[in-house]
Amino acid sequence: MVPLHWYLLLSSAVFVVGVAGFLTRRNIIIMFMSIELMLNAVNISLVSFSRYLSDMRGQVLVFFVIAVAAAEAAIGLAIIIALFRNKATAHVDEANEMKG
Amino acid sequence: MMAEGIFIYLAAAIVILSVLVITRSNPVHSMITMLVLFFHIAALYVTLNAEFLAAIQVIVYAGAILVLFLFVVLLLNLKEEMVARRYIGPWPLGVLAALGLLVVIVLSLKSFIPGPSGVFTTEVVRAETNTKVLGQILFTEYLYPFEVVSMILLVAIIGAIVLAKKRLRN
């Protein structure tokens, strides 16, 4: 049987890739996909905890995370469309009105 | 031995595909890569005896969320995206911060102590089926959070319509 630590290492690796993508990319759509990557990484660790601790609550939590991710994607994409309508760009560093 | 082999293939594919997702210049290519990534994560869920979540992963993530992303990418005209700079100016700082986070997480994993085991062992779940057990917990112990999630989805629907619709006046 695969040790639990392997799953946790995989989860942290995917999470860190998501963080790196969010911090370095300019395109807001790719940044949103990085957030989805991070959510998936957390889901992997929750499911593996659920399996290795013989507790189904982890999977219930993943169910909720997926529902919230769907809501977040809908709102975020609406914000992207509003940004594109006002600025005609998908690059976050060109949306700098709030900069002091 | 078989299980380890399958895990190593899935883990390598997941990490490589997620690096590809954040480095492609064309958002559509990123999205196709992400589709393959979601299928691999669903396969990982199957190896963890979470069949219901594997189905949900394919239906909701690959089927709904990714199609939503694809619609938005195709709606926006991103021709200049292919030639524009992909990364922010100080991108090494971002990579450095992410690697620091990885070091912190991996070091903290050493002191991880698993809690007490629950009652849903593989045999119990296999006798009842995964979906049935999940449903029983979801609609008894987690009924109130379930209703809250339905409220969140309602707010998301209304919010998306309000944000994305054109202004009626001027």
Side-chain angles (χ1 to χ4, degrees):
Chain A
M1 199 156 145
V2 185
L4 175 59
H5 270 262
W6 292 16
Y7 284 100
L8 298 183
L9 283 175
L10 169 66
S11 165
S12 49
V14 176
F15 189 87
V16 164
V17 170
V19 170
F22 186 80
L23 289 179
T24 56
R25 287 300 294 247
R26 294 172 69 223
N27 189 330
I28 191 167
I29 295 169
I30 307 284
M31 287 171 71
F32 255 88
M33 289 167 67
S34 303
I35 295 177
E36 300 294 332
L37 266 185
M38 288 190 252
L39 287 168
N40 269 290
V42 174
N43 284 353
I44 290 173
S45 70
L46 281 174
V47 173
S48 54
F49 278 136
S50 162
R51 167 79 180 79
Y52 281 83
L53 300 181
S54 311
D55 198 328
M56 292 298 279
R57 290 188 184 84
Q59 296 191 21
V60 175
L61 212 55
V62 172
F63 183 84
F64 290 138
V65 169
I66 290 177
V68 171
E72 176 248 331
I75 296 277
L77 292 170
I79 291 175
I80 291 173
I81 288 179
L83 173 76
F84 199 79
R85 188 181 295 139
N86 289 322
K87 301 278 296 182
T89 181
H91 293 146
V92 278
D93 46 0
E94 286 167 37
N96 51 7
E97 276 84 7
M98 303 265 285
K99 205 172 177 181
Chain B
M1 206 55 227
M2 184 75 180
E4 276 92 346
I6 290 172
F7 175 81
I8 288 168
Y9 161 69
L10 287 174
I14 286 170
V15 171
I16 291 169
L17 285 169
S18 49
V19 171
L20 283 178
V21 165
I22 66 159
T23 50
R24 294 304 89 196
S25 61
N26 189 338
V28 178
H29 292 175
S30 277
M31 233 146 273
I32 302 301
T33 318
M34 197 144 194
L35 181 69
V36 182
L37 172 70
F38 283 159
F39 282 127
H40 278 86
I41 291 178
L44 194 72
Y45 289 169
V46 171
T47 65
L48 285 165
N49 295 346
E51 303 93 27
F52 178 73
L53 286 177
I56 289 291
Q57 176 82 13
V58 171
I59 294 169
V60 176
Y61 259 120
I65 295 179
L66 218 57
V67 168
L68 208 62
F69 272 89
L70 204 58
F71 267 135
V72 170
V73 170
L74 298 179
L75 210 62
L76 310 179
N77 190 6
L78 294 175
K79 279 224 179 74
E80 80 277 18
E81 185 59 38
M82 280 25 134
V83 291
R85 274 189 308 122
R86 275 182 233 177
Y87 306 105
I88 56 166
W91 64 268
L93 277 180
V95 175
L96 204 66
L99 286 178
L101 182 66
L102 180 66
V103 170
V104 169
I105 295 175
V106 169
L107 287 181
S108 66
L109 277 183
K110 274 187 183 165
S111 52
F112 166 68
I113 303 161
S117 269
V119 290
F120 293 103
T121 55
T122 315
E123 290 73 35
V124 174
V125 173
R126 198 162 283 162
E128 289 273 316
T129 76
N130 176 262
T131 312
K132 194 175 168 188
V133 172
L134 201 59
Q136 275 167 355
I137 297 176
L138 191 61
F139 292 117
T140 54
E141 198 177 335
Y142 286 87
L143 185 61
Y144 182 61
F146 183 77
E147 298 294 338
V148 173
V149 161
S150 69
M151 211 62 209
I152 290 174
L153 287 173
L154 180 69
V155 170
I157 294 167
I158 297 171
I161 293 170
V162 169
L163 281 171
K165 82 169 168 40
K166 287 208 173 77
R167 291 223 173 76
L168 292 178
R169 293 187 191 83
N170 62 64

